[in-house]
Amino acid sequence: MRLHVTDEGPREAPVVVLLCSLGSTVDMWAPQRRDLAVEHRVITVDTRGHGTSPVPDGPYSVSQLADDVLETLDGLGVDRASFAGVSLGGAISQAIALRAPARVAALALVCTSARFGDPDPWLERAATVRADGVGAIADAVVARWFTDDHAEAAPAVRNAMRDMIAATPAEGYAACCEAIAAWDSRARLGDITAPTLVISGEHDPATPPEHGQVLADGIPGARFEVVADAAHLASYQRPEIVTPLLAEHVKGSA
């Protein structure tokens, strides 16, 4: 499956692939894309079922979502890249590193997990979205993306992100919830060979720093950073911290 992408930066430069969180589009990477594209070719991807990518019927698996990304990169002539993923995008990044290690120059796992908790809440959320649409859960989701003080200080950002979540196709969102429910890479983390940076938000209620610690402890040689005063979308709330961390990591692994 060929996915919708934005493709920015010099074509001859090392490639960085940015993978999105559940309920988001390529716009969630806006704080990073321009800066990273100065020295890298930056390919930002709408996950299957999101944005303007195709929306086949679910359920989906993280392995399928990883294959979508690799097929899309094949179509763009990209054999090897650094991958950075937030939340669901972090799971997809892990799957790519496990399935196609020769294609991964570096890995950045942001506010994500080797296992996103008990499957039942994810399956319940999928059922709610199929019945009532993504708008029914958009306020609850965006509340986890930013700390309360940030949401109060930047209501326009909070509202734009809420609208982005609500605009996600219901089947795409629900089917990706099912992929998250089944995801568990804990037993395979030691097989990841790419240089890895793990980033957690200090106040992330969805994938708290304990989840990042599991990834960092399990992946050989991984570096672990906790971003202060950030919730689940740390890359958007604290770009002044996250962007330099990503730039340093992918530049050192190019």
Side-chain angles (χ1 to χ4, degrees):
M1 180 175 295
R2 294 287 296 274
L3 303 173
H4 171 258
V5 305
T6 62
D7 192 347
E8 301 162 291
R11 290 300 179 269
E12 71 278 5
V15 178
V16 176
V17 177
L18 303 178
L19 302 177
C20 298
S21 63
L22 176 67
S24 71
T25 71
V26 295
D27 292 338
M28 67 144 286
W29 282 107
Q32 284 75 43
R33 283 164 45 187
R34 181 177 296 179
D35 286 351
L36 292 175
V38 172
E39 296 187 2
H40 296 83
R41 179 181 179 187
V42 178
I43 298 170
T44 313
V45 182
D46 276 341
T47 308
R48 174 194 293 221
H50 288 65
T52 54
S53 283
V55 190
D57 290 340
Y60 310 158
S61 69
V62 172
S63 292
Q64 285 177 314
L65 303 180
D67 284 344
D68 291 345
V69 174
L70 292 173
E71 278 190 40
T72 300
L73 294 178
D74 288 344
L76 295 170
V78 174
D79 296 324
R80 183 172 166 85
S82 296
F83 292 81
V86 173
S87 194
L88 172 60
I92 298 169
S93 298
Q94 293 170 60
I96 291 170
L98 289 164
R99 293 168 70 83
R103 301 190 67 166
V104 182
L107 197 61
L109 306 176
V110 184
C111 297
T112 188
S113 186
R115 183 176 183 268
F116 291 88
D118 185 83
D120 289 343
W122 293 104
L123 299 178
E124 291 166 7
R125 192 189 299 191
T128 297
V129 165
R130 284 197 174 102
D132 302 322
V134 183
I137 53 95
D139 285 315
V141 171
V142 79
R144 301 162 78 85
W145 281 14
F146 302 105
T147 57
D148 291 342
D149 59 341
H150 182 275
E152 292 170 5
V157 170
R158 184 262 180 211
N159 292 338
M161 289 297 177
R162 189 263 177 214
D163 291 346
M164 180 175 64
I165 296 164
T168 305
E171 181 60 20
Y173 191 100
C176 282
C177 285
E178 291 162 338
I180 288 171
W183 175 249
D184 188 349
S185 65
R186 291 173 295 177
R188 297 177 288 160
L189 293 176
D191 295 331
I192 293 177
T193 57
T196 300
L197 169 66
V198 180
I199 299 174
S200 291
E202 180 185 16
H203 302 299
D204 181 357
T207 54
E210 305 91 84
H211 288 232
Q213 191 69 63
V214 169
L215 289 166
D217 289 346
I219 298 171
R223 174 184 174 188
F224 184 39
E225 297 285 346
V226 177
V227 179
D229 300 321
H232 190 52
L233 210 61
S235 56
Y236 209 100
Q237 182 171 349
R238 301 299 308 273
E240 74 279 9
I241 296 175
V242 173
T243 305
L245 285 171
L246 293 176
E248 175 193 16
H249 183 62
V250 299
K251 185 174 184 178
S253 302

